[in-house]
């Protein structure tokens, strides 16, 4: 961004031949490394969710646009109109209102009368529209005047610069300042889609974005030096095959008409004419030839507001395994399902190397392997600090290429949010998501007093991390109150409980029929989870229910707390009936739950677990599993005795009695199952995800105040 600003400041003093030579040199280097995504990036062919297809069953939208940069281009507008009309096409001409030329009213009237379109192309063509919010506000106020005076529906930024969150201030119905893939542009972050998409604004407003999908003429013929339009033809073939939008942007400034001597910045108009002839002759019956305003109108009519695909670019960072983390996946896949580009930087499942995979439309990178065997706080601290530096470097490199709109960072630890320093510096919005409140978690995990130096340090880091973020999400209301009292302002914080995602936790069929009664615990093996209490409780009822088994899914039983629990089970003579089943992916967990008979949540109420919300309770309920849980402050805040069978925390005898009561009383089990289903229906992710999507959209909509700028009369 800084390099771009410097270039456009110096551009008026750099000779044209030098500028072009610099672009050719740069293009050669880019072409060598970007051949896999230019001119075709296969990922861009992904069909957005709910896409209705083009009108009248057409296979591809064919949209022609032109940017008129100088007076020379203005003089050629009518010639270009005649050429396109010859082949039965119409197009949109985007004019720079206050450049070296003025657009005659008669020309705009001619365009409209003949079925062409007029759009606004910035205010000046100097590359400084987005140099600062104040500059943009001043120019945007002026641009709005031209939009209104010309009756224009659309806008395109000069030089294909774009800050989509700012453009709501222009009051246009559509923008066309982006592209699917064009690494040769100074701002080279492509949208990776060949379909229109919606850019949400405040209070349900927004505009349609129409990315161009065919390389611009100046790049193709003058920078890359191609002598024919074959790349346009090749890309059009692919666009028709994928059912996308073929949107071309050319410049009459660079077209040489007739027999006039060709100047150094021009290409033969015959190249453009050859492409028009190819499109008409080969695809005339399957192309929907439309103006940009017609594509805009079609999109708005065909896709109601709640169904419109977005194209935000979001990255998530989490010191966790993406495959098994319900909370991270729920956010990421909700964004991906509406069409956003989502990537996740997380822990690797393969020891010794990085890996990546695509799950539910989300690209997840595993950059560091973790063994869950920390017995000392300094061992754990070193590992998360290492992940901070590795993820920061990885994120910075990805951001240079992709230009993320937002970074959603998941704790633990809180300070992982500082891995997003570079995206934040370049304007990306930062969300800190507090899964677990860290000072209390570490006090519990390592048995440290609340007044210890280490806990005080963590509280300081929590405050600094919250200040660094643009918004803080907290995973339950009790922790929100605590964090607001010491770390974060109320206006930049909100609660998102670990709701169940029905896309993953839809009702599964039971496939097990072996006569056993399976008691289930899935999750992390930590002291506050009270798993030793659960094992002792299971030992009390083992003789009364000999066909019962206790299955624990999570940490390996060969190290850490898992090894201690395995020894406890052995000492109690439960080796055959307490099974440590290891970890499973989140996608498999609903099946595991559906084949169990009782879910348990035995947390300690005198530790961190007293306020740590239990995601697994709603997961159990989603699959028709009755739940026995310790009576903690957090779980009684969200649940009652109709939905969960509670027992006094820490009392293994009371837990055994509660489990036995549910096992022996069919009416009680059925009552808990019915109440659980009802709770999930009312509080599931389907009812909450729109609040999260609205939060992301509101953060990415920049409040640009154009109304405060005094309006001057148009020339």
């Amino acid at each position: 961004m800084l390099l771009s600003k410097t270039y456009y400041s110096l551009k008026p003093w750099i000779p044209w031949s030098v500028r072009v030579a610099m672009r050719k040199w740069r293009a050669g280097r880019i072409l060598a490394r970007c051949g896999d995504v230019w001119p075709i990036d296969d990922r861009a062919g992904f069909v957005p969710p709910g896409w209705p297809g083009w009108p009248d069953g057409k296979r591809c939208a064919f949209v022609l646009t032109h940017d008129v940069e100088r007076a020379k281009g203005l003089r050629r507008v009518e010639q270009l109109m005649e050429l396109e009309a010859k082949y039965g096409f119409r197009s949109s001409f985007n004019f720079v209102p206050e450049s070296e030329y003025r657009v005659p009213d008669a020309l705009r009237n001619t365009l409209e009368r003949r079925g062409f379109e007029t759009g606004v192309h910035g205010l000046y063509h100097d590359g400084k529209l987005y140099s600062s919010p104040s500059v943009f506000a001043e120019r945007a106020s002026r641009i709005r005047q031209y939009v209104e005076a010309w009756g224009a529906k659309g806008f395109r930024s000069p030089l294909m610069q774009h800050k989509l969150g700012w453009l709501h201030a222009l009051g246009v119905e559509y923008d066309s300042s982006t592209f699917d893939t064009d690494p040769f542009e100074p701002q080279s972050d492509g949208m990776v889609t060949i379909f229109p998409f919606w850019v949400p604004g405040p209070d349900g407003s927004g505009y349609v974005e129409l990315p161009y999908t065919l390389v611009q003429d100046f790049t193709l013929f003058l920078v890359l030096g191609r002598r024919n339009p074959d790349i346009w033809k090749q890309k059009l073939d692919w666009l028709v095959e994928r059912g996308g939008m073929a949107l071309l942007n050319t410049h009459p400034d660079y077209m040489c008409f007739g027999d006039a001597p060709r100047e150094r910045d021009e290409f033969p108009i015959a190249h453009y004419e050859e492409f028009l002839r190819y499109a008409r002759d080969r695809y005339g019956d399957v192309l929907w030839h439309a103006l940009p305003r017609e594509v805009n109108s079609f999109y708005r009519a065909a896709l109601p507001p709640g169904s419109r695909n977005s194209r935000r670019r979001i990255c998530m960072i989490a010191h966790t395994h993406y495959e098994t983390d319900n909370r991270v996946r729920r956010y990421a896949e909700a964004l991906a399902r509406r069409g956003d580009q989502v990537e996740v930087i997380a822990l690797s499942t393969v020891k010794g190397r990085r890996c990546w995979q695509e799950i539910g439309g989300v690209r997840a990178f595993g950059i560091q392997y973790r063994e869950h065997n920390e017995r000392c706080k300094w061992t754990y601290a070193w590992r998360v600090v290492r992940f901070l530096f590795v993820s920061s470097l990885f994120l910075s490199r990805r951001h240079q290429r992709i230009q993320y709109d937002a970074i959603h960072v998941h704790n633990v630890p809180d300070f992982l949010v500082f891995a997003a320093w570079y995206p934040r510096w370049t304007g990306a919005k930062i969300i800190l998501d507090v899964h677990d409140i860290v000072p209390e978690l570490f006090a519990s995990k390592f048995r440290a007093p609340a007044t210890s130096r280490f806990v005080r340090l963590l509280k300081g880091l929590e405050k600094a991390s919250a200040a660094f973020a643009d918004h803080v999400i907290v995973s339950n209301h009790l922790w929100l109150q605590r964090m607001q009292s010491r770390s974060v302002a109320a206006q930049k914080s909100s609660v998102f409980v670990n709701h169940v995602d029905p896309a993953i936790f839809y009702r599964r069929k039971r496939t097990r029929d072996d006569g056993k009664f399976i008691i289930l615990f899935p999750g992390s093996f930590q002291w506050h989870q009270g798993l030793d209490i659960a094992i002792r409780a299971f030992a009390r009822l083992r003789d009364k229910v000999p066909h019962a088994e206790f299955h624990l899914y999570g940490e390996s039983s060969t190290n850490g707390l898992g090894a201690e629990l395995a020894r406890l089970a052995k000492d109690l003579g439960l080796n055959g009936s307490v099974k440590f089943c290891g970890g499973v992916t989140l996608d498999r967990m609903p099946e595991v739950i559906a084949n169990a008979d009782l879910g348990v949540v035995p947390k300690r109420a005198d530790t961190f677990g007293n306020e740590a919300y239990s995601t697994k309770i709603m997961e159990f309920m989603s699959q028709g599993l009755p739940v026995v849980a310790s009576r903690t402050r957090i779980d009684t805040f969200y649940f009652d005795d109709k939905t969960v069978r509670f027992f006094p925390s820490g009392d293994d005898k009371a837990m055994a009695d509660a489990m036995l009561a549910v096992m022996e009383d069919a009416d009680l089990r059925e009552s808990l199952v019915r109440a659980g289903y009802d709770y999930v229906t009312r509080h599931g992710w389907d009812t909450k995800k729109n609040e999260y999507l609205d939060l992301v959209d509101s953060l990415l909509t920049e409040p640009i105040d154009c109304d405060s700028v005094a309006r001057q009369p148009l020339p």
Side-chain angles (χ1 to χ4, degrees):
M1 191 65 68
L2 180 61
L3 185 62
S4 178
K5 288 183 178 180
T6 303
Y7 171 77
Y8 288 115
S9 296
L10 298 175
K11 182 180 176 182
W13 292 276
I14 303 175
W16 183 89
S17 58
V18 174
R19 297 202 309 268
V20 173
M22 291 169 60
R23 289 197 64 176
K24 287 182 177 180
W25 175 82
R26 177 174 175 267
R29 293 170 61 88
I30 290 172
L31 197 59
R33 69 173 186 266
C34 294
D36 58 331
V37 296
W38 188 87
I40 293 172
D41 185 343
D42 278 318
R43 294 174 301 160
F46 171 76
V47 179
W51 179 247
W54 299 109
D56 302 322
K58 299 293 186 180
R59 290 165 54 190
C60 177
F62 189 70
V63 186
L64 301 174
T65 70
H66 312 287
D67 292 346
V68 182
E69 297 180 356
R70 295 171 290 168
K72 181 172 69 170
L74 185 71
R75 292 192 296 269
R76 295 171 177 175
V77 167
E78 295 196 60
Q79 287 177 280
L80 190 50
M81 288 171 56
E82 295 295 339
L83 174 65
E84 291 172 339
K86 172 183 173 182
Y87 290 95
F89 294 116
R90 300 164 298 143
S91 61
S92 173
F93 288 84
N94 299 307
F95 297 104
V96 185
E98 297 186 6
S99 63
E100 66 179 55
Y101 65 83
R102 291 293 182 268
V103 185
D105 291 344
L107 178 59
R108 288 191 291 103
N109 292 336
T110 299
L111 286 167
E112 190 66 30
R113 186 177 66 253
R114 298 190 59 179
F116 288 72
E117 182 180 351
T118 298
V120 180
H121 188 37
L123 186 65
Y124 313 112
H125 205 281
D126 59 1
K128 299 178 182 179
L129 178 62
Y130 301 101
S131 57
S132 72
S134 60
V135 169
F136 181 83
E138 183 177 350
R139 294 190 180 190
S141 178
R142 193 76 171 160
I143 290 169
R144 288 184 70 161
Q145 289 182 265
Y146 284 101
V147 168
E148 294 165 5
W150 293 358
K153 300 292 186 183
F155 176 80
R156 175 176 286 144
S157 298
L159 306 161
M160 291 301 169
Q161 295 175 315
H162 44 270
K163 281 186 178 289
L164 300 186
W166 292 17
L167 291 183
H168 300 283
L170 299 184
V172 292
E173 292 191 11
Y174 75 84
D175 171 67
S176 187
S177 306
T178 61
F179 37 84
D180 64 331
T181 176
D182 193 344
F184 307 106
E185 283 298 305
Q187 190 176 341
S188 59
D189 51 323
M191 296 294 108
V192 197
T193 184
I194 55 175
F195 294 89
F197 60 90
W198 182 249
V199 182
D203 302 320
S205 65
Y207 61 87
V208 178
E209 181 65 25
L210 305 177
Y212 73 75
T213 57
L214 293 160
V215 60
Q216 294 189 71
D217 52 352
F218 185 88
T219 302
L220 184 62
F221 300 122
L222 300 176
V223 176
L224 297 177
R226 301 302 170 96
R227 298 180 180 273
N228 57 59
D230 286 355
I231 283 184
W232 281 347
K233 296 177 184 179
Q234 173 192 355
K235 185 70 175 285
L236 179 61
D237 294 342
W238 181 78
L239 290 163
V240 172
E241 176 188 341
R242 296 301 181 94
M245 177 175 62
L247 194 155
L248 174 63
N249 182 45
T250 58
H251 304 74
D253 308 75
Y254 309 131
M255 296 174 173
C256 180
F257 287 81
D259 298 326
R262 183 152 51 97
E263 298 181 17
R264 61 181 181 176
D265 63 347
E266 295 178 347
F267 66 91
I269 189 63
H271 293 347
Y272 183 59
E273 185 172 5
E274 180 183 340
F275 177 66
L276 294 180
R277 188 183 305 115
Y278 178 83
R280 183 197 64 180
D281 295 347
R282 185 178 179 97
Y283 296 114
D285 293 336
V286 301
L287 292 181
W288 176 45
H289 174 49
L291 296 171
R293 67 187 180 198
E294 293 169 339
V295 178
N296 163 67
S297 296
F298 164 75
Y299 182 92
R300 290 170 180 268
L303 288 164
S307 303
R308 292 172 184 169
N309 55 302
S310 179
R311 202 60 180 158
R312 306 295 198 189
R313 292 168 297 194
I314 313 293
C315 183
M316 298 195 177
I317 309 176
H319 187 250
T320 184
H321 293 101
Y322 177 71
E323 302 86 343
T324 58
D325 195 304
N326 184 14
R327 188 174 178 90
V328 181
R329 281 190 61 177
R330 184 174 62 246
Y331 290 124
E333 292 178 18
L335 290 164
R337 281 195 290 270
R338 73 169 188 174
D340 291 344
Q341 300 178 67
V342 188
E343 297 188 342
V344 177
I345 300 171
L347 293 173
S348 173
T349 57
V350 182
K351 190 172 184 178
R353 67 181 178 88
R354 294 179 177 178
C355 59
W356 76 272
Q357 57 186 318
E358 189 159 315
I359 303 174
V362 176
R363 179 174 288 193
F365 297 95
I367 62 168
Q368 179 177 305
Y369 184 76
R370 178 192 174 190
E371 293 184 74
H372 294 263
N373 59 356
E374 301 95 353
R375 305 305 298 272
C376 166
K377 58 180 174 289
W378 301 113
T379 301
Y380 182 80
W382 158 245
R383 290 176 178 177
V384 296
V385 168
R386 179 170 172 260
F387 185 80
L388 167 67
F389 283 103
V390 173
S391 62
S392 176
L393 181 61
F394 189 90
L395 172 64
S396 297
R397 289 175 174 171
R398 294 293 296 173
H399 184 66
Q400 284 183 323
R401 179 176 179 180
I402 294 174
Q403 290 294 304
Y404 297 114
D405 298 308
I407 314 296
H408 186 153
V409 184
H410 301 261
N411 89 336
V412 177
D414 297 327
F415 60 74
L416 188 56
V417 74
F418 295 112
W421 68 270
Y422 176 62
R424 186 180 189 273
W425 180 63
T426 60
K429 299 300 181 181
I430 311 300
I431 299 172
L432 172 61
D433 196 316
V434 178
H435 294 209
D436 291 319
I437 195 165
V438 174
E440 285 76 7
L441 171 64
F442 273 74
S444 172
K445 183 179 179 71
F446 298 109
R447 320 287 173 84
T451 57
S452 72
R453 182 182 305 172
F454 192 69
V455 173
R456 292 201 307 270
L457 171 64
L458 291 175
K459 289 180 180 179
L461 286 173
E462 175 187 272
K463 188 172 184 177
S465 301
F468 182 83
D470 294 287
H471 194 85
V472 177
I473 293 174
V474 187
S475 62
N476 72 61
H477 290 83
L478 300 184
W479 285 349
L480 178 68
Q481 295 170 9
R482 182 166 299 184
M483 287 197 66
Q484 287 180 349
S485 70
R486 72 189 185 195
S487 299
V488 62
Q491 63 268 23
K492 62 174 285 186
S493 56
S494 56
V495 169
F496 284 91
V497 176
N498 284 335
H499 305 284
V500 169
D501 187 352
I504 298 175
F505 283 87
Y506 57 87
R507 185 72 186 275
R508 309 297 175 93
K509 290 185 177 180
R510 183 185 181 94
T511 58
R512 184 180 59 81
D513 186 21
D514 55 10
K516 296 178 180 178
F517 191 96
I518 304 300
I519 301 169
L520 179 67
F521 174 89
S524 61
F525 290 10
Q526 297 188 49
W527 174 253
H528 73 265
Q529 297 285 11
L531 294 177
D532 57 320
I533 299 170
I535 290 174
R536 295 181 189 279
F538 180 75
R540 288 180 177 274
L541 59 79
R542 180 68 178 84
D543 292 338
K544 299 176 183 177
V545 192
H547 62 291
E549 292 183 356
F550 187 16
H551 292 186
L552 294 91
Y553 284 83
E555 179 184 342
S556 168
S557 62
T558 61
N559 54 46
L561 184 58
E564 293 182 17
L565 296 173
R567 286 193 294 271
L568 175 62
K570 181 179 179 180
D571 292 343
L572 294 173
L574 301 173
N575 278 357
S577 53
V578 174
K579 298 184 182 297
F580 294 87
C581 304
V584 297
T585 64
L586 189 62
D587 301 276
R588 278 197 55 216
M589 185 51 65
E591 179 184 344
V592 170
I593 295 174
N595 279 288
D597 299 283
L598 175 65
V600 295
V601 182
K603 292 184 301 177
R604 286 181 161 85
D606 57 348
T607 65
F608 169 81
N610 195 37
E611 296 181 353
Y613 180 83
S614 301
T615 310
K616 59 184 68 66
I617 291 181
M618 285 185 69
E619 293 176 356
F620 291 152
M621 291 175 172
S622 74
Q623 303 303 312
L625 214 62
V627 182
V628 168
S630 60
R631 190 176 292 278
T632 60
R633 184 182 175 209
I634 188 65
D635 291 327
T636 53
F637 182 90
Y638 288 107
F639 305 102
D640 57 27
D641 293 304
K642 294 180 180 179
T643 52
V644 171
R645 178 60 185 259
F646 286 112
F647 68 91
S649 175
D651 188 337
D652 58 89
K653 181 179 183 303
M655 183 178 180
D657 292 342
M659 288 193 292
L660 191 62
V662 175
M663 295 167 76
E664 294 181 341
D665 189 337
D667 291 338
L668 175 60
R669 283 201 308 275
E670 183 60 29
S671 173
L672 292 172
V673 168
R674 284 198 309 270
Y677 277 141
D678 179 65
Y679 187 92
V680 169
T681 300
R682 288 184 287 111
H683 299 281
W685 180 238
D686 262 353
T687 63
K688 299 295 181 180
K689 68 179 178 183
N690 288 334
E691 294 179 18
Y692 170 68
L693 299 177
D694 289 344
L695 169 62
V696 172
D697 292 337
S698 66
L699 286 174
L700 299 183
T701 302
E702 297 285 349
I704 304 294
D705 183 11
C706 299
D707 295 329
S708 63
V709 179
R711 290 195 171 195
Q712 301 296 323
L714 298 181

